[in-house]
């Protein structure tokens, strides 16, 4: 069966586009919104290319505080989880074979238990302990950082253990025996033979633990106490309305991840290459040409381009000033606003004139018999209420309605009267006017 | 140079659950000697070695090193160094660090270790290769590094578990002589494990032949080859033509065996079987290919075997002639190459003879690889 029929190719291409669109689309969109001067994270309408949200982000005390807490918790979790995971995996490898599967089930269980449950149990458990020990309610056992680290480690340690077990299964226990035979104590054999062998696994487990801790919400939400982590802060922010500084944060995280992944990949490939050539790692250094690993690996080229884009935009941020654009946009908005005010005025004028004309006829037979018709009062009623309930005037009711519409993210209405009647008076970017 | 330390296994049994890996082993190994355990795969050689080095406690019996009972003494406290079957070089350490690992764990400084490593590298003819990783060495070089690493610990006893099995023939032969030289130079006791009889015969002062957990015979190479204690040893060490039959008569250490297919053969009773072989017992006669020759006078009343040449092989040192005796009995004869014209040719009917002293009768028993 040959699969080079054009139909299948098209299908495959389409599938890939959808697949990657699904995977990366949200990230790309979100990153782009971080550069729009619009006060709400959105791509359309595109107003001005701006970097002001970086500044807003860096001035956001709560976000910064959240990041700091996340880092503290992350580092604590890494240390605790890696140590516990390593211990757990060593026991698993050496335990009496009959007990092994039972033990495995027990230590793997936290991964299967919902994070919410772990969070609640952590909270309750340490509270009980605190009471039992007779500590005051502000003891370290009640500290948010302490509880969050312990709570997250309950299941992250299991992840780490799996990483270690995978590596340990390839360990030749003969090496430990050889070390013992040569006079090493058990501790020396562990430190000099097993630990160096596990080093790559320790590194991956640490990265895994850190990422799992950084992005954790379920468990943390019960344990953070007075130390909200980044995820907690973000969740709270969403509740009270957000601005594109969050997109900027997302962009920074995505960019850092890509750069990290790329440099790791380059390092690995280079090492492989060096090993394949039988040369020491350091000797394979960069003469400037497309590195070998790039050829036939479009994904890495894309990654590189994205990273380059990130760097150049940072550079661009220092050179480019969006002020001119903003002034223009503001001017445009003002014009539209004025036009609309004009239009409303004209409408009102027209209506007054009509009323003036109709006024004398109020006692005409047509009008005196009010309940007679259904259709006419509708139009007339509308007129007599001064179109207060007309859709485009509804917005005049107050600032809340505009905010609501923004929060709802109604895309189509932003282009019509809804926004423009007010000339974006309530747009955060215009507030300083 | 050290004085070798003697080793003694007294009634050692080693069991894994119900499985008996070593059965009642009694071995005495002289200090400073080169002792080999020889046996087929899975017969318990490694198990014995691991119990000597302390990774395994015997289920019963005692192990003494230098007269001292080793019960309860861990591998890192015993005066032994083991060269593992798979070498077990530390893959993440450089060659010189591998070699001096035993010094590192004693806290010897780096400069001193480096110096010692260079000395040992000279000894194993790997001068200047100390900064490589084990993965960058050839098989034979790894081998030598493993030996150097074990010697660096200055053990009283060096235990070697089939260290040459992974090497090609040429290198193996070279390493054999090298190992023997090293042993003579350092003068410590070597316990060597192999399933290659050539290795055992060429290197050892003494050999123990094992068969699934049982030690059949302990003696020097000549005795093992010329005077095997059991049919297993006779068939495992070197080649042998086996003739089954019944003992017809016994006199003065010689027996006449009525074989099933080849008629009556007169031969010497193996030393181990002297006294416990009776007339009428089932017995086996073992005649080595090189003990057979073409009868000078086919009419006298000696040991004669009639056979037809069906194949010939020339090996340089000797001709191997494959013959078919009565009732399809296969017989192999080896004739030393003396540069003379051959007397054998395909499909030729021959009468073979042998010296009764070179044919051994043993009680019926298990053969190797049957
Ligand atoms: N830890 C163990 N548990 C159970 N059985 C074992 C164990 N170690 C070895 N055995 C068994 O003991 C027997 C002897 O094993 P051993 O490793 O001593 O063989 P060996 O003579 O060294 O063979 P080889 O020449 O193949 O290395 C084998 O049948 C093996 O299956
Ligand atoms: Mg073995």
């Amino acid at each position: 069966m040959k699969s080079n029929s054009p139909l299948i190719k098209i299908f495959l291409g389409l599938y890939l586009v959808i697949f990657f669109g699904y995977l990366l689309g949200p990230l790309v969109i979100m990153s782009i919104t971080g550069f729009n001067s619009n006060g709400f994270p959105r791509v359309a309408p595109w107003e001005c290319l701006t970097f002001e949200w970086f500044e807003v982000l860096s001035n956001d005390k709560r976000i910064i505080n959240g990041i700091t807490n996340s880092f503290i918790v992350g580092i604590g979790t890494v240390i605790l989880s890696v140590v516990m995971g390593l211990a757990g995996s060593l026991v698993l490898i050496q335990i009496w074979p009959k007990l092994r599967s039972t033990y495995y089930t027990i230590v793997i269980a936290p991964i299967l238990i919902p994070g919410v449950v772990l969070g609640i149990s952590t909270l309750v458990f340490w509270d009980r302990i605190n009471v039992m020990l007779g500590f005051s309610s502000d003891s370290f056992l009640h500290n948010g950082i302490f509880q969050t680290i312990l709570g997250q480690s309950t299941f992250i340690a299991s992840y780490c253990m799996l990483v270690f077990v995978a590596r340990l299964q390839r360990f030749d226990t003969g090496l430990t025996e050889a070390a013992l035979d040569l006079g090493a104590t058990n501790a020396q054999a562990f430190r000099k033979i097993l630990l160096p062998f596990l080093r790559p696994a320790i590194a991956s487990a640490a990265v895994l633990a850190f990422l799992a801790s950084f992005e954790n919400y379920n468990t943390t939400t019960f344990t953070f106490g007075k130390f909200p982590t980044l995820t907690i802060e973000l969740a709270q922010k969403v509740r009270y309305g957000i601005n594109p500084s969050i997109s900027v944060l997302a962009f920074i995280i995505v960019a850092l991840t890509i750069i990290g992944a790329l440099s790791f990949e380059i390092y690995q490939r280079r090492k492989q290459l060096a090993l394949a050539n039988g040369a020491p790692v350091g000797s394979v250094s960069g003469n400037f040409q497309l590195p070998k690993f790039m050829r036939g690996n479009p994904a890495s080229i894309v990654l590189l381009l994205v990273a380059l884009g990130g760097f150049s935009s940072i550079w661009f941020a220092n050179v480019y000033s969006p002020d001119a654009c903003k002034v223009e946009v503001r001017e445009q908005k003002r014009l539209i606003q004025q036009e609309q005010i004009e239009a409303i005025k004209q409408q009102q004028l027209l209506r007054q004139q009509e009323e003036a004309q109709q006024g004398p006829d109020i006692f005409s037979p047509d009008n005196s018999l009010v309940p007679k018709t259904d259709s006419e009062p509708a139009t007339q009623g509308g007129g007599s209420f001064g179109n207060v309930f007309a859709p485009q005037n509804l917005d005049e009711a107050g600032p809340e309605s505009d905010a609501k519409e923004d929060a709802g993210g109604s895309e189509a209405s932003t282009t019509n009267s809804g926004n423009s009647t007010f000339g974006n008076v309530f747009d955060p970017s215009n507030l300083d006017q | 140079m050290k004085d070798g330390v003697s080793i003694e296994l007294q009634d050692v049994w080693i069991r894994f659950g119900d499985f008996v890996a070593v059965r009642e082993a009694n071995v005495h190994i002289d200090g400073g000697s080169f002792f080999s355990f020889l046996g087929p795969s899975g017969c318990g050689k490694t198990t014995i070695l691991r119990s000597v080095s302390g990774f395994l406690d015997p289920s019963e019996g005692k192990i003494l090193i230098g007269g001292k009972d080793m019960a309860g003494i861990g591998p890192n406290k015993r005066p032994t160094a083991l060269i593992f079957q798979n070498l077990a070089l530390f893959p993440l350490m450089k060659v010189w660090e591998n070699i001096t690992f035993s010094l590192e764990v004693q806290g010897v400084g780096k400069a001193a270790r480096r110096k010692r490593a260079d000395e040992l590298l000279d000894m194993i003819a790997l001068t200047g290769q100390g900064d490589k990783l084990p993965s960058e060495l050839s098989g034979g070089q790894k081998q030598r590094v493993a030996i150097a690493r074990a010697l660096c610990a200055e053990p009283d006893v060096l235990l070697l578990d089939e260290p040459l099995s992974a090497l090609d023939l040429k290198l193996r032969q070279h390493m054999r002589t090298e190992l023997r030289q090293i042993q003579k130079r350092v003068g410590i006791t070597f316990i060597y494990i192999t399933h290659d009889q050539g290795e055992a015969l060429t290197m050892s002062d003494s050999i123990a032949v094992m068969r699934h957990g049982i030690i059949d015979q302990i003696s020097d190479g000549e005795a093992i080859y010329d005077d095997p204690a059991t049919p297993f040893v006779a068939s495992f060490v070197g080649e042998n033509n086996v003739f089954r039959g019944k003992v017809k008569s016994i006199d003065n250490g010689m027996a006449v065996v009525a074989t099933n297919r080849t008629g009556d053969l007169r031969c010497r009773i193996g030393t181990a079987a002297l006294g416990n072989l009776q007339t009428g017992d089932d017995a086996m006669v073992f005649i080595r290919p090189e003990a057979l020759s073409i009868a000078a006078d086919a009419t006298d009343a000696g040991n004669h075997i009639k056979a037809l040449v069906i194949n010939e092989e020339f090996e340089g040192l000797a001709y191997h002639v494959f013959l078919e005796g009565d009732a399809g009995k296969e017989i192999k004869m080896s004739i030393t190459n003396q540069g003379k014209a051959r007397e054998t040719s395909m499909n030729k009917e021959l009468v073979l003879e042998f010296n009764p002293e070179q044919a051994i009768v043993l009680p019926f028993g298990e053969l190797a690889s049957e």
Side-chain angles (χ1 to χ4, degrees):
Chain A
M1 218 185 83
K2 288 249 171 185
S3 67
N4 48 12
S5 106
L7 201 70
I8 287 180
K9 270 186 185 164
I10 291 170
F11 223 75
L12 208 71
L14 203 69
Y15 171 75
L16 284 179
V17 167
I18 292 172
F19 179 71
F20 282 109
Y22 168 72
L23 269 187
L24 306 175
L27 293 180
V28 172
I29 300 277
M30 179 134 192
S31 301
I32 292 174
T33 60
F35 297 93
N36 191 353
S37 65
N38 205 324
F40 183 79
R42 54 166 61 124
V43 176
W46 184 263
E47 287 180 1
C48 293
L49 177 61
T50 177
F51 296 94
E52 67 191 275
W53 304 118
F54 281 90
E55 212 184 313
V56 173
L57 178 71
S58 67
N59 289 332
D60 190 329
K61 292 251 165 50
R62 295 184 55 185
I63 291 282
I64 300 300
N65 183 38
I67 293 178
T68 316
N69 286 340
S70 279
F71 265 95
I72 295 172
V73 167
I75 290 168
T77 306
V78 164
I79 294 171
L80 193 60
S81 303
V82 165
V83 170
M84 291 204 300
L86 181 57
S89 64
L90 289 175
V91 172
L92 182 69
I93 293 289
Q94 288 171 4
I95 199 170
W96 208 35
K98 276 179 191 162
L99 271 181
R100 191 168 291 156
S101 61
T102 316
Y103 173 78
Y104 183 76
T105 315
I106 292 172
V107 293
I108 224 68
I111 292 182
L112 308 174
I113 295 173
V116 178
V117 175
L118 292 178
I120 296 174
S121 359
T122 306
L123 190 66
V124 172
F125 178 75
W126 288 105
D127 182 59
R128 290 285 92 199
I129 296 273
N130 201 37
V131 169
M132 269 164 57
L133 295 178
F135 290 167
S136 71
S137 65
D138 57 350
S139 78
F140 76 99
L141 293 180
H142 266 296
N143 181 296
I145 301 256
F146 171 81
Q147 285 199 355
T148 307
I149 290 177
L150 286 179
Q152 291 185 350
S153 296
T154 49
F155 70 96
I156 294 178
S158 301
Y159 287 135
C160 293
M161 192 199 73
L162 289 181
V163 174
F164 288 125
V165 166
R167 178 90 180 150
L168 275 175
Q169 270 165 352
R170 282 186 287 143
F171 181 67
D172 175 10
T173 45
L175 295 180
T176 302
E177 290 188 343
L180 291 179
D181 191 58
L182 292 168
T185 61
N186 281 307
Q188 279 173 325
F190 177 75
R191 209 175 67 239
K192 289 175 190 290
I193 307 297
L194 191 59
L195 267 193
F197 174 82
L198 285 176
R199 194 163 291 148
I202 291 174
S204 1
V207 170
L208 187 80
F210 186 80
L211 292 181
S213 161
F214 204 80
E215 57 113 52
N216 182 268
Y217 178 78
N218 301 358
T219 306
T220 315
T221 192
F222 292 97
T223 56
F224 69 89
K226 295 198 192 80
F227 299 90
T229 62
L230 182 62
T231 48
I232 301 289
E233 284 291 7
L234 288 182
Q236 287 179 351
K237 251 191 164 1
V238 169
R239 216 170 290 157
Y240 302 125
I242 49 174
N243 66 34
S245 61
I246 287 189
S247 307
V248 164
L249 181 64
F251 171 77
I252 291 173
I253 292 176
V254 168
L256 285 181
T257 310
I258 289 174
I259 292 169
L262 244 186
S263 35
F264 180 73
E265 183 75 8
I266 290 175
Y267 172 76
Q268 285 293 28
R269 300 280 178 136
R270 205 173 254 187
K271 211 164 77 174
Q272 269 172 18
L273 215 68
L275 281 182
N277 297 340
V281 179
S283 69
V284 188
S285 55
N287 21 356
F288 202 82
Q289 49 160 285
L290 195 63
K292 220 180 223 168
F293 72 89
M294 287 288 197
R295 295 164 209 157
N297 187 354
S300 61
I301 296 174
V302 171
L303 283 181
L304 186 71
L305 288 181
V306 172
L308 278 180
F311 280 129
S312 54
S313 58
I314 289 168
W315 167 80
F316 191 58
N318 293 325
V319 183
Y320 166 80
S321 160
D323 289 347
C325 167
K326 273 181 161 175
V327 170
E328 205 174 294
V329 166
R330 208 175 290 156
E331 187 60 25
Q332 260 174 12
K333 283 179 183 171
R334 208 180 52 77
L335 281 178
I336 295 170
Q337 194 180 350
Q338 226 154 39
E339 262 172 40
Q340 271 164 355
I341 290 172
E342 286 300 311
I344 292 171
K345 274 184 184 159
Q346 289 234 310
Q347 247 179 358
Q348 279 175 346
L349 215 67
L350 226 76
R351 224 182 291 134
Q352 276 167 10
Q353 281 172 0
E354 263 173 42
E355 272 168 21
Q357 278 176 0
Q358 280 176 358
D361 293 341
I362 204 159
F363 299 110
S364 73
D366 242 20
N367 286 334
S368 58
L369 299 165
V370 176
K372 206 178 75 182
T373 54
D374 298 306
S375 57
E376 269 187 35
T379 52
Q380 271 194 341
S384 55
F385 279 106
N387 278 343
V388 178
F389 298 109
Q392 67 263 52
N393 289 342
L394 201 62
D395 289 345
E396 278 180 302
E400 293 93 343
S401 66
D402 189 44
K404 256 184 228 154
E405 203 173 293
D406 264 357
S410 65
E411 331 73 25
S413 68
T414 54
T415 47
N416 70 19
S417 55
N419 238 344
S420 28
T421 35
F422 278 94
N424 281 343
V425 179
F426 301 105
D427 190 333
S429 57
N430 289 340
L431 279 178
D432 53 350
Q433 271 182 322
Chain B
M1 180 155 162
K2 286 188 158 194
D3 277 346
V5 161
S6 74
I7 290 162
E8 191 126 4
L9 273 66
Q10 293 177 351
D11 293 324
V12 169
W13 289 70
I14 300 172
R15 298 190 186 88
F16 298 111
D18 290 339
F19 179 79
V20 181
V22 175
R23 188 181 296 267
E24 209 185 353
N26 277 295
V27 185
H28 174 86
I29 299 170
D30 286 334
S33 71
F34 196 118
F35 189 94
S36 292
F37 282 95
L38 173 65
S41 179
C43 69
K45 308 182 293 291
T46 300
T47 306
I48 286 197
L49 215 59
R50 288 173 63 79
S51 67
V52 173
S53 53
F55 292 113
L56 201 68
D57 287 327
S59 318
E60 272 174 48
K62 266 196 224 168
I63 294 173
L64 300 114
I65 299 180
K68 217 173 119 202
D69 190 349
M70 285 289 128
I73 298 182
N76 45 5
K77 299 269 158 46
R78 296 196 185 188
T80 58
L82 175 58
I83 294 179
F84 288 75
Q85 200 157 0
N86 62 359
L87 303 184
L89 293 180
F90 305 129
L92 301 176
M93 292 186 194
K94 290 178 177 162
V95 164
W96 79 268
E97 292 169 320
N98 257 288
I99 291 178
T100 54
F101 184 81
S102 54
L103 301 179
E104 190 187 337
V105 298
Q106 291 165 21
V108 176
K110 188 171 171 186
R113 279 188 282 138
R114 185 78 221 213
K115 191 162 159 280
R116 180 78 182 120
D118 287 339
E119 286 167 21
L120 283 160
L121 281 166
D122 283 346
M123 188 192 89
I124 57 170
L126 281 178
T127 313
Q129 314 233 35
D131 284 316
K132 284 187 175 176
L133 286 174
S135 58
E136 296 166 345
L137 296 178
S138 76
Q141 289 171 334
K142 280 184 203 160
Q143 198 66 67
R144 283 180 274 170
V145 171
I147 294 167
R149 184 178 73 174
L151 290 177
C152 185
E154 303 197 336
D156 295 330
V157 183
L158 189 64
L159 310 167
L160 303 99
D161 191 353
E162 305 201 38
L164 307 185
S165 56
L167 306 184
D168 65 59
L169 184 66
K170 262 266 152 24
L171 195 54
R172 201 152 66 214
Q173 284 168 342
H174 173 74
M175 289 301 296
R176 275 183 203 171
T177 29
E178 203 155 319
L179 269 182
R180 190 68 171 131
Q181 277 166 6
I182 290 173
Q183 194 260 338
K184 291 225 171 86
R185 194 158 13 149
V186 294
I188 59 176
T189 314
F190 271 43
I191 301 185
Y192 190 89
I193 279 189
T194 179
H195 60 250
D196 179 330
Q197 29 139 335
E199 242 167 68
L201 292 175
T202 45
M203 296 194 286
S204 321
D205 297 317
S206 233
I207 301 172
V209 184
M210 286 186 75
R211 138 174 79 112
H212 38 76
I214 303 164
I215 297 179
D216 266 12
Q217 183 171 10
I218 304 176
S219 25
D220 60 23
E222 278 131 31
I224 297 262
Y225 193 82
D226 291 335
D227 196 5
T230 63
F232 177 84
V233 176
S235 54
F236 186 73
V237 182
E239 284 180 283
N240 248 324
N241 293 299
V242 186
F243 302 88
R244 292 179 178 78
K246 271 195 163 46
V247 179
K248 208 172 169 184
S249 65
I250 294 179
D251 83 294
N252 200 18
M254 302 300 276
V256 174
V257 177
T259 63
N260 300 345
R261 298 191 271 190
T262 321
D264 289 357
L265 298 176
R266 206 176 104 83
C267 3
R268 181 168 65 84
I269 299 173
T271 313
L274 272 177
N276 51 24
L277 198 67
Q278 313 290 328
T279 307
D281 283 356
D282 285 330
M284 287 171 150
V285 176
F286 296 90
I287 308 174
R288 299 223 176 254
E290 65 270 20
L292 288 169
S293 57
I294 297 168
D297 180 0
T299 55
D300 70 1
N303 282 314
H304 286 163
I305 303 170
K306 276 216 270 308
L308 184 75
V309 180
I310 52 169
N311 201 4
E312 280 181 299
E313 276 173 10
F314 176 61
E315 205 204 51
L317 198 65
Y319 302 101
H320 301 297
V321 184
F322 297 88
L323 308 112
E324 196 177 282
D326 291 342
K329 171 77 195 167
E330 283 171 30
I331 298 166
K332 183 178 174 186
M333 171 172 70
S334 298
I335 304 171
T336 323
N337 179 10
Q338 287 167 325
K340 287 191 287 194
R342 269 184 283 171
E343 292 173 61
T344 61
S345 64
M346 291 293 272
N347 294 320
K348 189 174 172 186
E349 184 93 31
L350 294 178
V351 178
L352 310 179
E353 66 173 3
F354 59 93
N355 178 354
E357 288 293 327
Q358 286 185 284
I360 307 292
V361 190
L362 293 170
F364 199 87
E366 183 197 356
L367 298 178
S369 65
E370 256 195 0

